[in-house]
Amino acid sequence: MESTKKNSKLSICGTNIHPGEEVNLAMPLPERYSCSPLFMPIKVIHGKKKGPILVVYSGLKGTELNGLEIANRLVVNINASELSGTIIAIPVMNVFGLTHYPVTLPTGEDLTKCFPGDEKGSYGERIAKIVTEEIFKKADYCIELQTGGMNHNILPQVYCNSDYKRDRQLAKLFRTPVITNIPNKTNKLRQTTDELHIPLLVYQAGEAMRFDENVIELGVDGVRNMMRALDMLVKEPVQEITPIFSRDEDWIVAHKGGILKTDVSLGQIIEVGERIGTITDPFGADVSEYIKAKQKGIVVGLNTAPLIHEGLPIFKLASFLDYDKAETVIEEWDKKQPDSYIG
């Protein structure tokens, strides 16, 4: 039901945002040795009508270009006068990582491991402290936008803590074919949102440092569909498919280095013992070796680089209770996409 109550004033980093305002903020980040300042751009649409505060963020590593674009496009064509609640969009949370690629932070640490932060801690912990106090503690819901790693293409999916019914229900609205459980104990950022009682969904698709229009549009539509379900936007949420829950996911790593030739595609079911790729010597001095699946699963991640090192993740397989149903769901979803994922 659409809210009729007027929204209240919102304060972020000392800036007061009144109901009906749309603002762009520049959150000051910790100083570096050069004394040249860095700022975290934040876009806020503060609806006139009362409703949830939704935080959408990306760029924890600085390489998630699809997530950056989703966050930027999300706030286009949303009018504060028609919005119930508030959107806080952060296209790049790790500005240092974006501007200093491939270095993630001055200390080389992972920003997700820095939460909930420490105002007297490392560079990353100071950023995490600001985000926790100024953003997360004001949020009712959070969506994290991720991509795969460098040269790792991921089938669009949503991760959530399936121990919580509310998280499972929200994840279904995102219109991805696969939903995978992630326990919060493995990630300090997710532990932080969990302790603050904030439902967190993670949308992951595509690969780092590359734009994928289909992935971007799917992400924007998924967030807006969730907003409709939360009565932040008018219209009923669109439920085009019924996603299937994955029990687990795991990467197969390369047992040797060389040239990788893949025999499978995203969304494909793999049987135990099936050949899924070949590793050859780039100089032709060694015998080619086949990569065979040690478990049954559906391919949800692929290494797209032809040259690989020993121990590098190359295939990501998801397991399901009902593989026939999973295959049907993914195939039906794939037919609705502008560009097919399944070869």
Side-chain angles (χ1 to χ4, degrees):
M1 182 179 294
E2 187 178 350
S3 174
T4 57
K5 295 182 179 179
K6 185 178 179 180
N7 215 347
S8 55
K9 180 177 67 177
L10 177 67
S11 179
I12 298 178
C13 289
T15 300
N16 292 325
I17 307 167
H18 299 277
E21 287 189 333
E22 302 176 19
V23 300
N24 293 322
L25 303 177
M27 179 184 290
L29 296 174
E31 291 185 357
R32 298 173 297 155
Y33 66 88
S34 62
C35 298
S36 55
L38 279 179
F39 298 88
M40 183 188 299
I42 300 174
K43 302 183 178 185
V44 183
I45 302 178
H46 195 39
K48 279 191 173 182
K49 292 168 282 189
K50 192 173 183 61
I53 296 178
L54 173 64
V55 175
V56 180
Y57 62 91
S58 185
L60 284 164
K61 297 178 181 176
T63 59
E64 303 92 329
L65 298 187
N66 286 324
L68 178 156
E69 186 67 10
I70 292 169
N72 282 325
R73 289 191 195 182
L74 176 65
V75 295
V76 177
N77 299 326
I78 293 181
N79 194 317
S81 63
E82 300 174 352
L83 177 67
S84 296
T86 305
I87 302 174
I88 301 176
I90 306 175
V92 182
M93 188 175 287
N94 187 355
V95 178
F96 186 94
L98 177 69
T99 57
H100 292 76
Y101 173 79
V103 180
T104 54
L105 288 172
T107 53
E109 59 193 330
D110 185 338
L111 184 56
T112 61
K113 296 180 180 179
C114 297
F115 283 84
D118 183 347
E119 61 184 359
K120 296 181 180 180
S122 67
Y123 188 88
E125 289 173 331
R126 292 171 188 240
I127 293 175
K129 181 65 174 179
I130 296 171
V131 172
T132 299
E133 296 297 324
E134 296 292 340
I135 304 297
F136 285 162
K137 286 190 175 181
K138 298 177 173 68
D140 295 304
Y141 300 92
C142 285
I143 298 176
E144 181 178 325
L145 305 171
Q146 290 186 0
T147 65
M150 292 298 299
N151 301 315
H152 287 86
N153 194 18
I154 301 295
L155 183 78
Q157 57 189 300
V158 169
Y159 295 89
C160 73
N161 188 340
S162 59
D163 291 340
Y164 302 124
K165 183 179 179 181
R166 60 184 182 181
D167 293 38
R168 296 197 306 270
Q169 292 173 335
L170 291 172
K172 290 178 181 179
L173 296 166
F174 223 89
R175 295 154 62 189
T176 59
V178 177
I179 299 172
T180 301
N181 175 53
I182 47 169
N184 291 334
K185 62 182 180 180
T186 61
N187 185 294
K188 292 187 71 174
L189 188 155
R190 294 175 196 140
Q191 287 178 20
T192 301
T193 57
D194 194 33
E195 289 169 0
L196 293 171
H197 306 290
I198 304 169
L200 170 64
L201 300 184
V202 179
Y203 169 68
Q204 187 180 67
E207 57 184 300
M209 300 300 286
R210 295 183 187 276
F211 286 113
D212 185 322
E213 187 62 28
N214 192 40
V215 162
I216 293 168
E217 287 296 322
L218 190 69
V220 173
D221 290 345
V223 176
R224 289 186 174 175
N225 200 44
M226 178 173 156
M227 291 175 67
R228 295 185 187 101
L230 295 173
D231 293 322
M232 297 179 70
L233 297 176
V234 296
K235 298 181 181 178
E236 290 296 317
V238 179
Q239 185 68 45
E240 294 180 351
I241 67 164
T242 300
I244 189 163
F245 282 82
S246 166
R247 294 189 300 169
D248 193 19
E249 292 185 357
D250 197 17
W251 282 98
I252 296 174
V253 300
H255 61 282
K256 64 176 292 183
I259 297 177
L260 172 66
K261 298 179 181 179
T262 61
D263 297 325
V264 296
S265 59
L266 291 175
Q268 183 176 332
I269 284 189
I270 305 301
E271 300 292 340
V272 177
E274 182 176 347
R275 192 179 88 182
I276 56 179
T278 307
I279 297 178
T280 60
D281 189 315
F283 305 104
D286 198 2
V287 178
S288 299
E289 292 193 21
Y290 298 135
I291 305 169
K292 295 185 178 181
K294 295 182 179 180
Q295 64 189 66
K296 184 174 182 177
I298 291 180
V299 180
V300 293
L302 281 176
N303 190 322
T304 60
L307 298 177
I308 60 169
H309 302 291
E310 183 179 345
L312 197 67
I314 48 179
F315 299 100
K316 192 176 191 180
L317 299 185
S319 59
F320 299 86
L321 289 173
D322 188 337
Y323 283 95
D324 291 337
K325 181 179 179 181
E327 185 177 28
T328 300
V329 166
I330 293 173
E331 288 179 350
E332 290 302 314
W333 172 85
D334 190 67
K335 291 176 183 178
K336 297 182 173 68
Q337 306 312 306
D339 299 308
S340 175
Y341 284 84
I342 303 173

